[in-house]
Amino acid sequence: MTPGGNRGWLLRLVIAFSFAQGAVSMARPAVSYRALALGADERAVGVIAGVYALLPLFAAVPLGRRTDHGRCAPLLPVGVVLISGGCALSGLADSLWAMAVWSGVMGLGHLCFVIGAQSLVARQSAPHEQDRNFSHFTIGASLGQLVGPIAAGALIGGRDMAGTSAFALLVAGAGGAVALTSLWRIERRTPAGSRKEPGERVPVRRILRARGVPGGIFVSLAVLSATDILTAYLPVVGEHRGIAPSVIGLLLSLRAAATIACRLVLTPLLRLLGRTLLLTLTCLLAALLCAGIALPVPVWALALMLAVLGFCLGVGQPLSMTTVVQAAPDGARSTALALRLTGNRLGQVAAPASAGLIAGLAGVAAPFVMLGALLLLSAGTALRAPAGPAGEADAGRRGGSRAILRRKSGI
C-alpha cells in the first residue's frame, strides 16, 4: 500500500500517543512536587528535569539510523514500557538521585516512542499530507498534556505532598501502559524486495547542511524548551505565589487545550499565511507571552496568557517536523528527525539547568524571561527559513490531477 491510503493507523497512533504523553505530562509536575517534598531547591528541580533529556541525547541518532533502514513499529512498545517503568519507579524512589535516574529512563522511553511514531507518520504519509498528518499526530501529545496535569493536580496536595506525588507517579505508570493496546498492526508491511539495504549512510554533516534542517531543529528546540519549562517550573511559581497544585494543573491543561485547538485549525491557517510567516508570528507572540509570565499577574490573567501561549506553541512542533522531513536527503529522513529530537533534548538538558541557575540567582519567574529570549531568536530563524516548496509543488500537482480527472470524466 502506498503512502496516503487508509488512515486508521494514524488514529490508533494518536490514541497511543495520548496515553504515553499523558503519563509523561502527569509525571513531570509530580516529579517536581515530590522532589520539593524531599527537600529539593530550585536548582535541584532543574537538574532532575534536565536528566530526563540526558540519556536520549546519546541514543537519538543511532535509533534514527536503525529506523531509516528498518521498521518503525518495534520502537513504540519499547518506549511505552520504559515510560511506564520510569514513572512508577520515580514514585517508589526515596532519594533525589534515584528520582533523577528514573526520570532519565522515562525520557529515554519517550524518545523511543517519538522517533518510531514520527518516522511512521513520515513514511506512511504522502508529501502533501505531511503537514496535516503531523498536525493530527501531535494532537495526541496535546491530549496527553491536557489530561496529565489535571490528573496530577487532582491527586497531589494536602499535608503529605511526598505521598500524594508518589501515588500520582504510580497512576501515571499504569495509565501509560494502556498505550500498548493501540499498537497492533500499526505499520504497513513492506515487501522484502523493496526494503532499503543498510549500505551507505548519509553523513550527519550533510543532513545538517541541508537548507531548512537547522532552522527546523532550532524552532523545535525553542518551542519544546518553552513547553518543558512551563511544565516543570509553573508548579514552583505556584508554590511561591500561593497557587494551589489543582489550579496549576488546570492552567497547564488550559495551555494544552489551546494547543489542540491550534492543531485542529492549522491547515486553514497554513493556507492563509504560509508556513514561514505562521511560524515567525507565533514564535514572536510566544516570546512576549513567556516573558509576561514573569510578572506578578492575577490567576485569571495568567490563564489568559497561557491559553494564547498554548495556541502559539502548537504551531512549532508539527511544522518543524514537516520542514525537516522535506529538507532531509533521501534515505535519511528518520535520522534527520532524530537529529531534530537530539536538538530538542539538548534544549531540555540546557534549558532546565539554566533555568535552575537563573531561578536560584534571580527568582523563580526569571526562567520565563530566558524562554522569551529563546523564542525571539527562533522567530528570527523561522523568518529566514525557506518555504515548503515540496508541499506547494505537491499541492499544485494535486490541483492539476483534479483538473485532468474532471476533463476525463466530463465534470
Side-chain angles (χ1 to χ4, degrees), residues 56-405:
L57 274 178
F58 306 100
V61 172
L63 286 172
R65 294 284 195 196
R66 177 213 165 274
T67 308
D68 270 324
H69 301 288
R71 296 181 62 222
C72 310
L75 282 178
L76 303 180
V78 171
V80 170
V81 169
L82 290 175
I83 288 170
S84 296
C87 291
L89 292 168
S90 293
L92 298 175
D94 57 2
S95 70
L96 297 178
W97 285 106
M99 288 189 67
V101 169
W102 296 124
S103 181
V105 171
M106 190 198 316
L108 182 62
H110 191 259
L111 176 83
C112 290
F113 188 96
V114 171
I115 284 183
Q118 289 182 7
S119 300
L120 194 68
V121 174
R123 188 173 295 178
Q124 297 190 169
S125 303
H128 67 271
E129 296 176 325
Q130 285 174 349
D131 275 327
R132 181 196 64 192
N133 285 0
F134 275 125
S135 178
H136 290 174
F137 162 69
T138 53
I139 287 174
S142 299
L143 285 170
Q145 290 166 357
L146 172 66
V147 175
I150 290 179
L155 294 176
I156 301 169
R159 294 182 179 179
D160 185 16
M161 189 71 76
T164 55
S165 56
F167 179 66
L169 286 163
L170 293 174
V171 172
V178 178
L180 293 170
T181 61
S182 295
L183 297 178
W184 48 276
R185 298 180 64 184
I186 203 164
E187 184 174 16
R188 292 191 280 261
R189 290 281 182 178
T190 305
S194 65
R195 288 176 189 164
K196 296 177 183 177
E197 294 297 325
E200 249 184 85
R201 291 180 173 181
V202 179
V204 169
R205 280 186 299 178
R206 182 182 160 198
I207 299 171
L208 291 174
R209 285 176 181 170
R211 190 180 176 207
V213 171
I217 289 174
F218 187 76
V219 169
S220 180
L221 180 155
V223 169
L224 189 67
S225 294
T227 305
D228 205 53
I229 290 180
L230 274 173
T231 304
Y233 267 84
L234 205 58
V236 182
V237 171
E239 283 288 295
H240 280 257
R241 296 184 186 175
I243 304 173
S246 58
V247 176
I248 292 295
L250 287 172
L251 289 174
L252 289 171
S253 296
L254 177 64
R255 197 273 318 157
T259 298
I260 294 173
C262 166
R263 288 167 181 169
L264 288 172
V265 299
L266 191 58
T267 301
L269 284 175
L270 280 167
R271 291 196 194 104
L272 180 66
L273 299 174
R275 188 183 301 159
T276 300
L277 183 57
L278 184 59
L279 269 175
T280 303
L281 290 177
T282 52
C283 286
L284 183 59
L285 184 53
L288 298 174
L289 290 166
C290 271
I293 293 174
L295 301 174
V297 296
V299 173
W300 67 265
L302 187 60
L304 181 60
M305 285 194 294
L306 285 170
V308 181
L309 178 60
F311 192 92
C312 293
L313 294 178
V315 171
Q317 292 297 343
L319 295 195
S320 67
M321 290 177 203
T322 307
T323 299
V324 168
V325 164
Q326 293 186 352
D330 289 339
R333 289 180 173 178
S334 293
T335 306
L337 286 169
L339 287 169
R340 174 185 167 277
L341 289 171
T342 301
N344 287 352
R345 294 307 187 258
L346 278 170
Q348 286 182 302
V349 170
S354 303
L357 179 61
I358 292 171
L361 295 174
V364 295
F368 296 102
V369 177
M370 179 195 76
L371 280 181
L374 186 64
L375 286 164
L376 192 61
L377 287 173
S378 75
T381 302
L383 185 62
R384 293 163 51 190
E392 291 166 8
D394 284 315
R397 282 195 291 272
R398 290 201 310 279
S401 298
R402 291 192 191 104
I404 292 169
L405 286 171

